[in-house]
């Protein structure tokens, strides 16, 4: 679903819903290419830190509260 794709950004590997063969292909590719997994893991860590860290959440919350006070 789009929400899941948003969270994985460009770091995750999506597969067609309900398509076990497609999922098998994706998992086999990742098992055969651990360098892809390592690269994607680094991308995911960067994305999560930039968008979902406590610092980011606090900053966004503070900005929201400040905008409501105006």
């Amino acid at each position: 679903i789009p929400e899941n794709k948003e969270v994985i950004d460009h770091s995750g590997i999506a597969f067609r819903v309900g398509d076990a063969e497609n999922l098998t292909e994706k998992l086999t590719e990742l098992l055969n290419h651990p360098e892809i997994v390592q690269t994607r893991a680094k991308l995911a860590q960067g994305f999560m830190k930039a968008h979902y860290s406590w610092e980011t959440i606090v900053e966004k919350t503070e900005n929201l509260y400040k905008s409501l006070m105006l």
Side-chain angles (χ1 to χ4, degrees):
I1 61 173
E3 294 80 7
N4 287 348
K5 288 184 177 181
E6 178 184 342
V7 173
I8 66 171
D9 188 43
H10 299 291
S11 57
I13 305 292
F15 62 93
R16 290 189 291 273
V17 175
D19 188 339
E21 186 176 321
N22 184 247
L23 174 59
T24 300
E25 290 170 4
K26 302 289 182 167
L27 291 173
T28 301
E29 178 182 356
L30 295 173
L31 288 169
N32 290 330
H33 299 282
E35 70 278 4
I36 294 173
V37 176
Q38 291 174 345
T39 299
R40 298 291 181 112
K42 288 179 185 175
L43 287 172
Q45 290 169 357
F47 180 82
M48 296 306 285
K49 185 175 182 179
H51 297 281
Y52 298 104
S53 70
W54 279 115
E55 291 82 13
T56 302
I57 292 169
V58 169
E59 182 179 329
K60 288 180 180 181
T61 302
E62 284 180 342
N63 289 338
L64 173 64
Y65 290 164
K66 288 176 184 177
S67 74
L68 294 174
M69 293 186 337
L70 298 177

